[in-house]
Amino acid sequence: MKKITFLLAVLVLAACETEKKREPIVVNYPITQKVDTVDTYFGTEVQDPYRWLEDDRSKETEAWVKTQNKTTFGYLDSIPFREDLKNRLEKLWNYEKLGSPFKEGEYTYFYKNNGLQNQYVVYRKQGDGAEEVFLDPNTFSEDGTTSLAGLSFTKDGSLATYLISEGGSDWRKAIVIDAKTKEQVEDTLVDIKFSGISWKGNKGFYYSSYDKPKGSELSAKTDQHKLYYHELGTPQANDKLIFGGTPEEKHRYVGGYLTEDERYLVITASTSTSGNKLFLKDLEADGDLITVLDHTDSDTYVIENEGSKLFMVTNMDAPNKKIVVTDANNPTPENWTDFIPETENVLTAGSGGGYFFTEYMVDAISKVLQYDFDGKLVREVELPGVGSAGGFGGKKEDKEFYFSFTNYNTPGSSYKYNVETGEYAQYWKPEIDFNPADYESTQVFYDSKDGTKVPMIITHKKGVELNGKNPTILYGYGGFNISLTPSFSIVNAVWMEQGGVYAVPNLRGGGEYGKKWHDAGTKTQKQNVFDDFIAAAEYLIANKYTSKEYLAIRGGSNGGLLVGATMTQRPDLMQVALPAVGVLDMLRYHTFTAGAGWAYDYGTAEESQEMFEYLKGYSPVHNVKEGVEYPATLVTTGDHDDRVVPAHSFKFAAELQEKQAGTNPTLIRIETNAGHGAGTPVSKTIEQYADIFGFTLFNMGFDQLPNQAVLKEFKD
């Protein structure tokens, strides 16, 4: 065992601000075996001594996980207020949560959680009748780790297919039931991945999957996605291959869905997470596949049709997206006509009730417009406040539907919207032990390293003193065209109750300002993302929201890469680093599961010497240096994560434990029977955040929760 002694920071006494040294604590890090493994890229040898940790099925890896968890939880057990945090999270979490209702057949369905249920339950009611349970995922497994991962109805609402995920895996099973009786009507389908369900009448449905990989299904590469049609009542082995599967043309992501009138099957095919080919099949004519786009230079999809008239959203020649109209008989780009032109703000669009609804991001804040089918503006929807709106859309015959609204300090509520008048009323508001009026959000714009203006929303209690001593979490993502828009989080509410500041910058690589903003954070421009994040931290420190001693950086998945790269480039900038389920080995990420599809954002080490050298230059696993004092680090991952395999986190933690020169702890918390995050049981989520926040505050020097008044209030 390797012994590292570290000082656990200082005892903060709010009354007199005297300092008292904690007794030194010895953490016995497990020794991680090093194996002589070398790869050669363009003549350069790269050591990979922890390659053996990539084998998720080996007894050695299993033993390593158990030993690391024993060490980590031994440390976490020593945090005196960890149980208080868990209790507070449980209390605040324990309120009824309700999803926006939707109509299928004779019933109105909605998701509801009574408070601390591990999974949301699907309820329904007929007219003004009593509500009843339709599906209760809490009964799927004893520990709550089997979750509902999708639900799709036939057009008449008589049949439904629901998808389940076991242990957080991306692999799904599909179960078909009679919606009225709730009885299963055929054998369970298996091995479905990255797929929705699209019914064709009551006879069958389309879904997508990969061939089951050889080796570990949690880490083996999957890069040949296929679209199938399943006829109800027949064996899955007989399902018809509709698209994909030709060795000469691989598509890593293939999807199929029907227009609402079920006339057209729309097929998308992609080699990466950006850009898609687009095809149509007229199911009434039963003709050949119609090619709309034969390249992946744009993101284009069909959102509505009137007969053969197709309405599509595209960013072709429109980085912020627009809606175009064309005829299915001649659907190629030269026949497109602008329907709703591109604006200076990024567009997402839907339809419902005979109208189109366009949501624009204005500096990451929602703005919603309603148009008729002639492209005429009907109205701007005046939203309940400044924040994020969602759910505008529904079926063509709907005269009303429900939308949601939230921001960083306002719990999500739902509203019933009349499509003809534009009037809406609050349908449901949560009863939660949290007063939004006590908190405020401010949007600022700061300069990144190259002078680019980057927006950031900073949320905290009103009246917080800007003295540089506020515990602060800086959260970021910066990739894959994903936008971080304001939304309420129970865990962040608990953080802010304790006087914490929560800051979210909209980094390049995201989608907040369209394709140009996304592309500015990809491949050999990826450093822009890290520079934006570093500049956000420097802004918070310069403006005395916090200081190095009270700053934590956090992100998950691509955001885990962000944290790993930032802490290895600027270990002096923060006190705590919290990389979650991160992409941390940039030379080998594309060799696992569907990782090769991320190459649009990252590039790969094999494609060129320049790309190899660039990736190696920031890859967190390859940039942990001997003799450097890194911040207190809690790496988190799940042993069933088949999106970003846990080997990334395993290898990064091993490098940190071997090379950490300072006294800060470098630990890894590995959730067992858990995946990338979706479907995680509430009980496990609460435990995770009690550990994460406990670790963070403890390593900022706190021996008790900063806001004891809140603690006393909920104890009383």
Side-chain angles (χ1 to χ4, degrees):
M1 303 290 279
K2 180 181 177 183
K3 293 188 176 182
I4 296 183
T5 303
F6 61 89
L7 194 63
L8 285 175
V10 296
L11 175 65
V12 175
L13 296 176
C16 59
E17 295 188 351
T18 59
E19 294 186 356
K20 176 183 176 182
K21 298 288 185 181
R22 290 192 187 123
E23 289 296 319
I25 295 178
V26 175
V27 172
N28 293 313
Y29 292 115
I31 292 178
T32 304
Q33 180 185 5
K34 299 177 74 172
V35 178
D36 189 17
T37 306
V38 179
D39 291 317
T40 301
Y41 300 86
F42 303 98
T44 299
E45 291 188 348
V46 179
Q47 298 285 337
D48 192 3
Y50 302 121
R51 175 78 59 85
W52 62 273
L53 287 169
E54 294 177 2
D55 186 353
D56 56 273
R57 299 183 299 171
S58 75
K59 291 183 178 179
E60 291 80 8
T61 301
E62 181 183 5
W64 185 88
V65 167
K66 288 180 179 177
T67 307
Q68 288 287 343
N69 269 345
K70 183 178 179 181
T71 302
T72 297
F73 285 103
Y75 178 92
L76 294 172
D77 286 343
S78 70
I79 297 173
F81 49 84
R82 176 176 170 226
E83 196 66 21
D84 291 336
L85 271 173
K86 180 182 175 184
N87 291 339
R88 180 54 183 157
L89 281 162
E90 282 184 345
K91 184 176 188 299
L92 192 58
W93 211 295
N94 193 12
Y95 69 94
E96 186 179 77
K97 306 162 195 72
L98 199 71
S100 296
F102 56 98
K103 192 167 184 193
E104 301 289 350
E106 300 174 355
Y107 294 91
T108 297
Y109 293 82
F110 55 94
Y111 288 77
K112 183 170 75 172
N113 191 306
N114 290 336
L116 294 174
Q117 290 174 290
N118 277 322
Q119 304 290 343
Y120 275 71
V121 179
V122 183
Y123 287 82
R124 70 178 179 187
K125 63 180 181 178
Q126 192 171 16
D128 295 326
E131 65 182 45
E132 64 170 339
V133 173
F134 179 65
L135 280 175
D136 185 358
N138 297 292
T139 65
F140 293 172
S141 61
E142 289 186 7
D143 61 359
T145 58
T146 299
S147 61
L148 180 63
L151 176 61
S152 178
F153 290 84
T154 56
K155 190 173 183 179
D156 66 4
S158 63
L159 294 169
T161 304
Y162 66 92
L163 300 173
I164 63 171
S165 167
E166 296 170 317
S169 171
D170 281 332
W171 290 99
R172 309 287 193 244
K173 293 179 179 177
I175 299 167
V176 183
I177 60 174
D178 182 305
K180 189 168 186 178
T181 65
K182 296 178 276 189
E183 293 179 355
Q184 187 168 345
V185 300
E186 66 167 13
D187 292 340
T188 299
L189 278 67
V190 298
D191 299 335
I192 296 172
K193 189 172 184 180
F194 296 153
S195 176
I197 299 291
S198 188
W199 280 91
K200 170 60 175 170
N202 290 23
K203 294 182 178 180
F205 54 82
Y206 297 91
Y207 70 91
S208 302
S209 194
Y210 302 89
D211 293 333
K212 203 65 176 286
K214 296 177 181 179
S216 170
E217 68 174 47
L218 295 178
S219 59
K221 190 172 183 178
T222 51
D223 65 352
Q224 180 71 291
H225 216 199
K226 304 174 185 179
L227 179 68
Y228 294 92
Y229 175 74
H230 172 71
E231 185 177 340
L232 209 59
T234 64
Q236 187 178 3
N238 294 348
D239 288 355
K240 183 180 179 181
L241 177 64
I242 302 299
F243 186 90
T246 55
E248 63 274 9
E249 188 176 24
K250 290 185 177 182
H251 296 102
R252 297 190 178 96
Y253 308 104
V254 172
Y257 59 95
L258 296 179
T259 53
E260 189 177 332
D261 61 6
E262 298 190 354
R263 176 176 175 180
Y264 293 103
L265 171 64
V266 182
I267 300 173
T268 60
S270 308
T271 56
S272 71
T273 52
S274 289
N276 65 276
K277 299 176 184 177
L278 188 63
F279 306 92
L280 291 174
K281 188 174 180 65
D282 188 338
L283 299 180
E284 290 183 359
D286 196 27
D288 295 334
L289 207 62
I290 302 168
T291 299
V292 182
L293 284 172
D294 61 358
H295 58 76
T296 60
D297 296 340
S298 70
D299 297 287
T300 303
Y301 53 95
V302 177
I303 61 167
E304 186 58 270
N305 74 303
E306 274 191 317
S308 65
K309 184 188 290 187
L310 302 177
F311 298 87
M312 302 185 296
V313 173
T314 184
N315 60 7
M316 180 179 290
D317 302 321
N320 292 336
K321 296 185 182 177
K322 62 183 178 180
I323 300 178
V324 297
V325 63
T326 190
D327 192 278
N329 298 306
N330 294 288
T332 49
E334 64 270 18
N335 299 305
W336 295 359
T337 302
D338 283 3
F339 179 69
I340 297 178
E342 181 189 24
T343 72
E344 61 182 354
N345 299 308
V346 180
L347 162 76
T348 54
S351 64
Y355 295 94
F356 290 94
F357 293 86
T358 61
E359 180 191 339
Y360 294 95
M361 277 186 292
V362 183
D363 298 326
I365 304 299
S366 290
K367 175 181 178 180
V368 178
L369 303 179
Q370 181 176 345
Y371 291 86
D372 65 20
F373 266 62
D374 293 322
K376 179 182 176 183
L377 177 65
V378 176
R379 65 178 61 90
E380 178 177 351
V381 180
E382 296 294 333
L383 296 175
V386 177
S388 302
F392 278 91
K395 297 181 174 66
K396 279 186 178 179
E397 67 269 18
D398 289 345
K399 296 305 176 188
E400 57 189 19
F401 52 73
Y402 301 82
F403 72 90
S404 61
F405 179 81
T406 184
N407 57 36
Y408 286 120
N409 61 334
T410 303
S413 298
S414 57
Y415 298 81
K416 192 173 186 178
Y417 182 82
N418 185 301
V419 297
E420 297 297 340
T421 66
E423 296 176 348
Y424 62 84
Q426 190 168 70
Y427 173 78
W428 176 80
K429 178 182 179 181
E431 298 294 330
I432 181 174
D433 183 23
F434 178 84
N435 184 11
D438 293 340
Y439 298 82
E440 62 183 349
S441 289
T442 305
Q443 187 173 57
V444 301
F445 292 82
Y446 64 90
D447 290 329
S448 190
K449 183 178 181 179
D450 63 358
T452 299
K453 291 285 184 184
V454 181
M456 175 165 58
I457 296 179
I458 307 169
T459 309
H460 51 73
K461 274 188 173 180
K462 289 180 178 177
V464 69
E465 185 180 354
L466 300 185
N467 58 8
K469 296 183 178 181
N470 301 302
T472 298
I473 289 178
L474 176 64
Y475 181 88
Y477 190 79
F480 294 89
N481 201 37
I482 290 173
S483 302
L484 296 186
T485 57
S487 63
F488 181 77
S489 161
I490 297 168
V491 294
N492 292 336
V494 170
W495 177 259
M496 293 187 297
E497 272 187 340
Q498 294 304 316
V501 174
Y502 185 69
V504 182
N506 297 110
L507 313 172
R508 279 175 283 185
E512 292 87 353
Y513 294 104
K515 188 170 177 58
K516 290 179 180 178
W517 192 255
H518 173 208
D519 287 348
T522 61
K523 293 187 177 177
T524 54
Q525 298 188 91
K526 188 67 180 176
Q527 184 61 41
N528 287 336
V529 185
F530 313 140
D531 289 342
D532 290 355
F533 201 53
I534 289 167
E538 291 173 336
Y539 177 94
L540 293 169
I541 292 170
N543 288 275
K544 298 193 179 299
Y545 284 96
T546 192
S547 58
K548 182 267 182 191
E549 291 75 17
Y550 295 97
L551 178 63
I553 59 172
R554 177 164 168 76
S557 195
N558 175 74
L561 163 62
L562 172 69
V563 172
T566 301
M567 65 177 283
T568 51
Q569 292 183 15
R570 288 292 307 275
D572 60 304
L573 192 58
M574 74 294 300
Q575 183 65 24
V576 178
L578 303 166
V581 293
V583 186
L584 299 162
D585 183 343
M586 299 309 297
L587 301 186
R588 286 182 55 76
Y589 77 87
H590 59 293
T591 64
F592 306 111
T593 63
W598 311 336
Y600 182 94
D601 267 57
Y602 298 146
T604 68
E606 283 89 359
E607 69 182 69
S608 69
Q609 183 171 349
E610 178 192 22
M611 199 68 250
F612 156 67
E613 291 173 352
Y614 192 87
L615 288 167
K616 186 173 181 292
Y618 74 77
S619 175
V621 163
H622 300 91
N623 283 280
V624 180
K625 297 180 173 59
E626 194 85 44
V628 174
E629 182 172 2
Y630 291 100
T633 304
L634 182 62
V635 181
T636 53
T637 190
D639 69 344
H640 276 58
D641 190 345
D642 51 1
R643 186 86 55 84
V644 180
V645 295
H648 286 275
S649 296
F650 295 173
K651 293 161 77 170
F652 188 53
E655 290 283 351
L656 284 170
Q657 289 178 357
E658 179 196 1
K659 296 175 180 176
Q660 168 73 291
T663 58
N664 293 321
T666 51
L667 302 170
I668 182 168
R669 185 189 189 281
I670 306 155
E671 190 71 69
T672 55
N673 204 24
H676 199 58
T680 301
V682 165
S683 57
K684 284 195 174 190
T685 301
I686 288 173
E687 290 172 357
Q688 288 170 5
Y689 277 96
D691 291 345
I692 291 167
F693 288 169
F695 178 89
T696 300
L697 290 169
F698 195 58
N699 281 283
M700 289 176 176
F702 294 96
D703 271 340
Q704 61 182 11
L705 289 177
N707 190 346
Q708 286 295 304
V710 169
L711 178 62
K712 182 177 186 302
E713 181 181 335
F714 83 76
K715 277 187 173 180
D716 291 345

